[in-house]
Amino acid sequence: MKQENVIEVEGLSKKFGDFKAVDAITFEVKRGEIFGFLGANGAGKTTAMKMLIGISTPTSGKASVADFDVYTHAEDIKKNIGYMSQKFALYDDLSVKENITFFGGIYGLSRAQIKDKTAQLIEELGLQEVANQLVGSLPLGWKQKISFSVALLHDPKIVFLDEPTGGVDPITRRQFWEMIYKTANNGTTIFVTTHYMDEAEYCDRVSIMVNGKIEALDTPERLKKQFSVTNMNDVFLKLARG
Amino acid sequence: MSISVQHISKSYKDVKALNNISFEVNEGELFGLIGPDGAGKTTLFRILTTLLIAEKGSATVAGFDVLDDYKSIRNHVGYMPGRFSLYQDLTVEENLNFFATIFGTTVEENYDLIKDIYVQIEPFKKRRAGKLSGGMKQKLALCCALIHKPKVLFLDEPTTGVDPVSRKEFWEMLKRLQQKGITILVSTPYMDEAALCDRIALIQGGEILQIDTPPEIVKHYPKKLYNVGADNMYKLIETLKGYEHQYSVYPFGEFVHYTDNRSDFNSKELKLYLETMNLSNISIEITKPTIEDTFMELARL
């Protein structure tokens, strides 16, 4: 079932001088899977993710994302994935509608498509009252939900979420995860990093990076069994510092 | 009393950042302000460290009034803001010396206070602060906030964006500082860290929802809480939300935390309902509420 893998990575490495930021990692992610990508600060997560989204060229190894090679088809990868991070989300000085129009244009949607998508998004997220307000005036939790929806505007095969819920209140955090479940249920693959270990439990499979290598990769249930602990936090604590 | 806050309010234009906040922190206490972004935590820190003036109310820190004795407060508190605020172009060593000199002391004089933390970054003492990793920056910032032996330490979200291992180490450092007699006011959006404080205030939307010790906070949880598990998480959440008797449904790790709006809840009945909705491998067990459950229950009221 090779065609069911939307990410395939084999021996992927990235060196900065003598420093191996990512050291020969190998894994696959299936269609519709929620894949948690964990690791301590400095373990190499961001470097690995940058290679997968086509903005950093690997030093060695193989990787394909949405059937495109990271070396030769980085531009095609960018068109076929969604990306959202806590640091860069939306433009605060544009309204909700303007942001959707802007990102729709960036992703190459037609005017008619943008119009349809805007109406659909505003309806689904219940944003009728704030559609013309500047995004900067909205609570963080709303921004994150809109930002996630915007990352899905062009119906990408995979969406990369880099610490999407940092600082968000616990109720909104859960609403956000319900959106993730729904999206995955529709067949979109979710690739997510987080420092909330309860969120690691929501993933179908979880990988944990330590010093550039993937030291564990399995379902949360099997990882907990493997390390004889009752929660993902303890799995993480046992692994991340040896 | 180390910190006393009485009826403090502060607005930015038409946004009420703090609305009539009152609480007290005892000497030597490790007190946590627990709440999400936008709760008003940073505004409160800025008022208590005399960087911002409240519209209403009064506050004292280490016995000094935030308005009348603001200069004394600045000499007696350490403050680590949420955003990294050291000099990026100075080395580790230079930053530390700079802050010691500003406060009229030397690194040697109070070295025992920072020793545990400083030895971890000492190998990099010639490195510019801007070139440090996140974890090391945080340790250096803590050293600089401690170098004049403050009576009260203010830490604004020191662990945000920090991985679980480094967070655990950071809290161990705080516990050691507390044993040296320093009062600590710390804010965090991570509910699991709340359990490590002596007392906590749950804060959201500029208002305090509750103040108590962590074990007492969870006792206020008003309902019986159940862990519900099944094979398909997404379908389980959707199905529970569609159940006519549900009061709250929140994903919580590998389970869903469920409460029912009837007093005579029958788990067999719920199980039957889930089975008829084609869920498999169903488990329903009573569980203990966490601080996060309590926070969510208070926040939805």
Side-chain angles (χ1 to χ4, degrees):
Chain A
M1 296 294 281
K2 206 168 160 50
Q3 70 276 23
E4 280 295 306
N5 285 336
V6 291
I7 300 178
E8 290 188 343
V9 175
E10 201 186 325
L12 192 69
S13 297
K14 177 84 184 183
K15 277 165 81 175
F16 297 107
D18 293 334
F19 177 64
K20 279 185 180 169
V22 174
D23 190 2
I25 57 172
T26 298
F27 66 94
E28 288 109 39
V29 182
K30 294 187 210 64
R31 191 180 112 87
E33 190 171 31
I34 303 177
F35 189 84
F37 198 60
L38 313 185
N41 300 106
K45 296 190 304 283
T46 304
T47 307
M49 200 146 155
K50 279 185 177 169
M51 291 191 277
L52 297 180
I53 62 177
I55 60 171
S56 169
T57 310
T59 310
S60 60
K62 285 192 241 172
S64 76
V65 175
D67 287 332
F68 294 107
D69 187 275
V70 292
Y71 293 95
T72 55
H73 291 80
E75 289 310 310
D76 290 314
I77 290 178
K78 290 176 200 166
K79 284 178 199 150
N80 282 280
I81 60 164
Y83 176 76
M84 170 199 167
S85 95
Q86 192 192 352
K87 281 153 208 143
F88 174 75
L90 302 165
Y91 289 98
D92 277 350
D93 296 335
L94 297 181
S95 73
V96 174
K97 270 189 181 169
E98 286 164 346
N99 264 290
I100 299 172
T101 307
F102 176 79
F103 282 101
I106 290 280
Y107 286 130
L109 268 55
S110 69
R111 273 170 197 272
Q113 282 173 314
I114 291 174
K115 206 178 158 209
D116 287 351
K117 281 279 181 183
T118 307
Q120 185 195 333
L121 265 184
I122 287 173
E123 169 75 30
E124 270 177 21
L125 295 172
L127 294 169
Q128 293 85 348
E129 282 177 24
V130 297
N132 291 313
Q133 274 184 35
L134 295 187
V135 160
S137 68
L138 298 177
L140 178 74
W142 288 40
K143 283 191 211 172
Q144 303 294 74
K145 284 187 216 167
I146 300 167
S147 179
F148 180 59
S149 303
V150 164
L152 294 170
L153 271 181
H154 55 306
D155 298 317
K157 295 191 178 77
I158 311 160
V159 56
F160 288 84
L161 306 172
D162 194 1
E163 288 183 43
T165 56
V168 175
D169 74 82
I171 294 180
T172 309
R173 205 151 71 77
R174 285 174 172 77
Q175 290 168 347
F176 193 89
W177 270 90
E178 284 164 27
M179 289 175 74
I180 291 180
Y181 279 128
K182 194 175 170 189
T183 307
N185 207 50
N186 293 335
T188 308
T189 303
I190 310 282
F191 188 98
V192 59
T193 73
T194 179
H195 285 317
Y196 290 97
M197 286 303 120
D198 59 328
E199 295 188 346
E201 307 258 10
Y202 303 157
C203 299
D204 294 318
R205 285 189 307 146
V206 165
S207 80
I208 301 180
M209 266 187 100
V210 183
N211 297 331
K213 293 192 168 87
I214 291 182
E215 292 291 345
L217 201 179
D218 216 325
T219 62
E221 202 180 349
R222 282 202 286 263
L223 285 176
K224 284 183 278 182
K225 256 190 205 143
Q226 185 188 335
F227 290 91
S228 313
V229 292
T230 55
N231 59 55
M232 283 303 292
N233 197 52
D234 290 343
V235 172
F236 193 91
L237 292 181
K238 278 201 165 180
L239 255 181
R241 286 288 155 90
Chain B
M1 206 59 62
S2 194
I3 302 173
S4 169
V5 176
Q6 304 295 335
H7 308 293
I8 288 276
S9 295
K10 174 78 190 174
S11 299
Y12 300 108
K13 291 181 188 164
D14 44 0
V15 179
K16 272 194 176 171
L18 292 173
N19 189 11
N20 198 19
I21 295 264
S22 298
F23 66 95
E24 285 172 340
V25 180
N26 299 318
E27 221 158 279
E29 197 170 26
L30 176 51
F31 191 95
L33 282 175
I34 317 295
D37 281 9
K41 304 189 298 286
T42 300
T43 300
L44 185 59
F45 275 107
R46 292 179 65 82
I47 290 170
L48 294 176
T49 52
T50 75
L51 299 171
L52 193 67
I53 295 173
E55 278 149 19
K56 285 184 203 148
S58 61
T60 63
V61 175
F64 301 109
D65 187 271
V66 287
L67 290 181
D68 300 340
D69 305 319
Y70 73 94
K71 282 189 178 165
S72 305
I73 289 183
R74 291 177 186 183
N75 283 325
H76 288 97
V77 304
Y79 175 40
M80 188 172 148
R83 195 178 292 171
F84 185 65
S85 58
L86 303 178
Y87 292 96
Q88 311 258 3
D89 294 334
L90 296 184
T91 65
V92 167
E93 212 172 31
E94 286 166 344
N95 264 296
L96 199 56
N97 277 322
F98 175 81
F99 282 95
T101 311
I102 288 281
F103 284 106
T105 182
T106 59
V107 175
E108 292 72 32
E109 196 168 335
N110 296 314
Y111 188 68
D112 63 311
L113 195 60
I114 62 162
K115 192 181 162 220
D116 285 353
I117 309 160
Y118 189 66
V119 291
Q120 301 174 48
I121 51 172
E122 207 176 2
F124 313 98
K125 65 182 178 186
K126 300 284 181 201
R127 193 180 289 187
R128 286 185 189 192
K131 298 278 179 198
L132 295 174
S133 73
M136 287 197 277
K137 276 184 185 167
Q138 181 202 41
K139 282 168 188 156
L140 177 60
L142 185 58
C143 286
C144 291
L146 284 168
I147 199 60
H148 57 300
K149 206 173 185 186
K151 288 185 179 147
V152 185
L153 186 60
F154 292 95
L155 306 169
D156 193 4
E157 298 207 14
T159 55
T160 293
V162 176
D163 68 75
V165 179
S166 305
R167 290 207 279 135
K168 189 165 174 271
E169 288 171 356
F170 193 82
W171 277 87
E172 284 162 3
M173 286 190 280
L174 291 192
K175 287 280 179 189
R176 284 198 293 273
L177 288 172
Q178 188 192 11
Q179 280 158 14
K180 290 176 178 165
I182 298 175
T183 304
I184 302 173
L185 182 67
V186 57
S187 69
T188 177
Y190 296 101
M191 303 278 158
D192 57 336
E193 293 183 344
L196 303 168
C197 300
D198 296 326
R199 284 193 306 143
I200 54 176
L202 303 181
I203 178 169
Q204 177 156 293
E207 301 195 17
I208 290 182
L209 303 171
Q210 203 149 60
I211 303 175
D212 219 322
T213 62
E216 284 301 317
I217 290 260
V218 297
K219 279 190 197 163
H220 294 304
Y221 193 77
K223 290 195 162 276
K224 274 192 180 156
L225 186 68
Y226 295 87
N227 266 340
V228 183
D231 279 339
N232 184 333
M233 191 64 162
Y234 174 62
K235 206 173 159 199
L236 176 64
I237 295 168
E238 292 292 298
T239 309
L240 283 172
K241 287 202 161 179
Y243 189 49
E244 57 174 329
H245 302 296
Q246 67 95 4
Y247 174 76
S248 68
V249 175
Y250 294 121
F252 228 96
E254 63 184 308
F255 298 107
V256 171
H257 276 187
Y258 173 85
T259 59
D260 199 272
N261 57 24
R262 297 164 294 180
S263 51
D264 58 341
F265 169 68
N266 182 335
S267 68
K268 277 181 194 144
E269 205 181 303
L270 177 61
K271 193 171 179 192
L272 202 66
Y273 165 74
L274 294 175
E275 277 165 358
T276 58
M277 300 300 281
N278 292 323
L279 281 150
S280 54
N281 216 355
I282 298 159
S283 65
I284 303 172
E285 274 169 35
I286 197 151
T287 188
K288 280 184 187 155
T290 65
I291 289 167
E292 192 155 5
D293 290 299
T294 313
F295 188 98
M296 290 194 287
E297 174 59 24
L298 290 165
R300 66 180 263 164
L301 294 177

